[in-house]
Amino acid sequence: AVLAGVVAFAAYRVLADRADRARQKLLAGREAYRQAELARIREEVEERRRQAELAKDLKRQKWENDKLERQRRDAELEVGEKDLREKMQGKYQRLEEAKRPERERKEREAREARRRKEEEERIKKMPEVFRHAVAGTGTYLDPNGTPRRVP
């Protein structure tokens, strides 16, 4: 009976050791799983942070690119407006140059017409005796017989 008790205790001890090893193995497996899960969560959090940072950088780059594009477009428009302004100014000057001889001719004709009208009015204001003489030559004889220009 003692031998049976010793054998039973040894068997119990073997089974208890196996159970302890199995429990240790299970705890080690759980700990490994927990560590792997923590590492996966850390990796996921880090990846999200990197993605957020990349998105922020991408937004900043897009904004800078848009700003540069707006500046380039504004510069092109300014150059285009300047070229158009110069082109229109040149066109206007050419048109004015083309119109100048006609305008000068009209001004000369207007001056000549005013001069003729003034001359006719001056002749009309003269006494009748002088009008006839002045009408053809622009000169008249004063009472002493001296030829004079019409004032």
Side-chain angles (χ1 to χ4, degrees):
V2 174
L3 183 62
V6 170
V7 170
F9 181 74
Y12 167 76
R13 199 70 199 130
V14 169
L15 288 177
D17 285 344
R18 281 187 188 163
D20 274 348
R21 277 186 294 219
R23 193 172 30 252
Q24 290 295 332
K25 191 175 182 181
L26 181 64
L27 287 176
R30 283 183 183 169
E31 183 61 25
Y33 176 77
R34 190 175 75 80
Q35 290 299 324
E37 201 53 30
L38 284 174
R40 185 187 64 74
I41 289 171
R42 271 191 230 104
E43 182 69 29
E44 194 173 301
V45 167
E46 185 63 27
E47 181 62 26
R48 285 183 186 171
R49 189 186 62 74
R50 274 196 307 269
Q51 290 297 328
E53 198 172 300
L54 287 174
K56 187 177 175 181
D57 286 347
L58 186 63
K59 276 185 178 179
R60 185 180 318 111
Q61 286 177 351
K62 185 179 182 317
W63 181 82
E64 288 174 356
N65 287 342
D66 290 347
K67 181 181 173 185
L68 289 173
E69 180 63 24
R70 280 192 305 273
Q71 289 174 344
R72 184 191 61 77
R73 198 175 330 115
D74 290 347
E76 284 179 0
L77 284 174
E78 189 175 319
V79 167
E81 288 174 357
K82 184 179 177 184
D83 289 345
L84 181 62
R85 202 175 311 116
E86 289 174 358
K87 180 179 176 184
M88 293 306 288
Q89 191 174 18
K91 188 175 184 179
Y92 177 76
Q93 285 176 345
R94 283 191 300 278
L95 287 172
E96 287 299 312
E97 289 294 325
K99 291 178 184 178
R100 181 180 290 156
E102 180 66 21
R103 190 171 47 244
E104 289 174 351
R105 183 187 60 79
K106 285 182 180 179
E107 288 172 2
R108 277 193 309 272
E109 289 175 358
R111 277 195 308 265
E112 185 63 29
R114 278 194 307 272
R115 190 190 59 74
R116 271 189 260 121
K117 186 177 178 183
E118 288 171 1
E119 185 71 26
E120 289 173 5
E121 287 176 8
R122 216 175 329 172
I123 290 173
K124 284 181 184 177
K125 288 180 183 177
M126 295 181 143
E128 185 67 33
V129 177
F130 300 123
R131 264 190 230 151
H132 183 29
V134 171
T137 62
T139 60
Y140 67 95
L141 296 176
D142 67 3
N144 297 331
T146 310
R148 303 245 180 207
R149 299 244 349 123
V150 176

